[in-house]
Amino acid sequence: MLPFILRRIVIAIPTIILISIFVFALQKLLPGDPVLAMAGEERDPEVLEFLREKYRLNDPIPVQYLTWVGNALSGDLGVSLRTNQPVTELIAQKLPVTIQLALMAICFALLIGIPAGILSAVKKGTITDYIANVVALSGLSIPNFWLGIMLILLVSVKWQLLPASGYVPFSEDPLKSITTMIMPAFVLGTALAATLMRHTRSAMLEVLTADYIRTARAKGVLEKRVVLKHAFRNALTPIVTLTALLFGELIAGAVLTEQIFTIPGFGKMVVDAVFNRDYAVVQGIVLVTAIGFIVMNLLADVLYVLLNPRLRGQ
C-alpha cells in the first residue's frame, strides 16, 4: 500500500508545479494594479515605489515566482490587501465552514443518489426506473439558487422549521450548527445526488450483465446479496471517483448557496476577493483549491486499492 501511495504522490508533484505556475500567472493577468489598490487615495509616487519595493514587484517575473513559491512552501501566502490579515489565517477561518457544508451535502447526495441508482438499475424498464430518472433530471435542471429561495420561503418563513440563514460554528453549538446547515447542504446535495444516481445506475447495469452475476443467481444466492455484495461492490470504482471529484468541486463551487444562506465560507471569500482585487487572497484560494482536488484524487486512488487489491501491483 505504501509504495502505491508514494508513486501517486510522485506523479502529483509535477501537477502541483504546473498549478503553481498557472496560479501565479493568473494574478498577473488580472486587471488593475495591486499597488494602486494598496495605496488607496494616496497616489504619491514615492509611496507607490516604496510598496513596489516592499512586495518585490520590481523584480523580474521569474524571481517573483520563485519568491512566492518559497514563501508558500513555508506557509506564507501573503497578506490581504483589504484586511491586512495573512491569507493563511483567512483560509483557516473560512475553509472549515465550507468543508462542513460540503461534507453534509455529500452525505445527502450519497443517501439519496446511490440507493436511487441501485433501485433504478435493478428495476430497469419499470415505473420505478422512470420515476428515478425523472427525479434525477429534475435535480440536475433545477437551479440551486431557486431551490434555496423556495426552501427558505417554505421551511423557514411559512413552516418555521429551520433557520433561514446564518452560521454557528460546530465547536460552539453542534446541534445548532447542523440545523443551520441542513437546508444549504440539501440544496447542494440534490444536484450531486442526481449525478450520483445516473452514474450508479450506469455502473450497476454494466455489472449486472457480467457472467459472475449470472453464476451467483444460478447457484441460488439471494437477490439482495447478489445486488449488494457482488454487483454494487464491483460498481463502486466509478462512484468513488465521482464522489471525490464532487467533494473537491463543492469546496470551490458553493458560491451561490453560501450567498443565499449568508454562510461565511470559502465561496463567499472568493467572490469578495475577486471584486476587491485582493490578489494575494485569490492566489491563495486557487492554490489551496487545486491542491485539494489533487488530495481528493489521491484519496480516491487509495480507496480503489482498498476496494480492489489487484490494483496494488499497478
Side-chain angles (χ1 to χ4, degrees), residues 37-298:
M38 283 185 282
E41 298 295 330
E42 185 64 46
R43 299 295 176 89
D44 189 318
E46 294 184 2
V47 174
L48 297 178
E49 185 61 27
F50 170 77
L51 291 173
R52 293 185 190 279
E53 289 294 333
K54 179 181 178 180
Y55 292 99
R56 306 188 67 173
L57 296 176
N58 288 328
D59 293 344
I61 290 180
V63 175
Q64 292 183 42
Y65 168 74
L66 292 176
T67 302
W68 177 71
V69 169
N71 292 334
L73 290 174
S74 64
D76 180 10
L77 294 175
V79 178
S80 170
L81 303 180
R82 185 185 180 193
T83 64
N84 204 33
Q85 287 181 270
V87 176
T88 49
E89 287 186 10
L90 290 173
I91 292 175
Q93 292 170 6
K94 305 296 185 181
L95 187 56
V97 180
T98 301
I99 288 178
Q100 180 185 346
L101 176 61
L103 285 173
M104 292 181 64
I106 283 291
C107 288
F108 275 116
L110 293 174
L111 290 173
I112 298 171
I114 290 181
I118 294 174
L119 188 62
S120 178
V122 173
K123 302 290 185 180
K124 180 185 177 184
T126 66
I127 187 66
T128 303
D129 183 24
Y130 292 130
I131 292 174
N133 278 282
V134 169
V135 172
L137 183 61
S138 300
L140 290 172
S141 304
I142 296 174
N144 284 352
F145 69 87
W146 183 87
L147 181 59
I149 293 171
M150 291 300 102
L151 284 178
I152 290 173
L153 290 174
L154 290 175
V155 179
S156 299
V157 178
K158 186 174 181 179
W159 298 332
Q160 297 183 354
L161 297 176
L162 294 170
S165 62
Y167 172 73
V168 177
F170 188 83
S171 57
E172 291 183 9
D173 190 336
L175 181 59
K176 194 169 183 180
S177 177
I178 293 174
T179 301
T180 57
M181 283 290 201
I182 287 178
M183 280 203 299
F186 180 78
V187 168
L188 285 174
T190 49
L192 302 185
T195 304
L196 276 172
M197 179 268 168
R198 297 294 299 167
H199 281 75
T200 302
R201 181 182 184 276
S202 299
M204 287 292 294
L205 286 175
E206 182 178 351
V207 172
L208 286 171
T209 60
D211 292 338
Y212 63 88
I213 297 296
R214 287 194 292 269
T215 302
R217 284 171 171 164
K219 288 181 177 180
V221 179
L222 293 175
E223 184 66 14
K224 181 179 179 181
R225 187 178 178 87
V226 171
V227 171
L228 296 180
K229 183 177 180 181
H230 297 284
F232 179 61
R233 183 175 181 180
N234 287 282
L236 270 177
T237 300
I239 299 172
V240 168
T241 305
L242 181 64
T243 303
L245 293 176
L246 288 176
F247 184 80
E249 181 181 329
L250 277 175
I251 294 177
V255 177
L256 282 176
T257 304
E258 289 183 358
Q259 292 282 354
I260 292 169
F261 290 94
T262 322
I263 298 173
F266 211 49
K268 192 173 186 304
M269 185 171 66
V270 173
V271 175
D272 293 341
V274 171
F275 277 109
N276 292 313
R277 295 181 180 178
D278 205 340
Y279 302 117
V281 176
V282 174
Q283 280 183 314
I285 290 171
V286 176
L287 182 64
V288 170
T289 302
I291 292 175
F293 269 101
I294 293 174
V295 171
M296 293 308 302
N297 278 303
L298 178 61

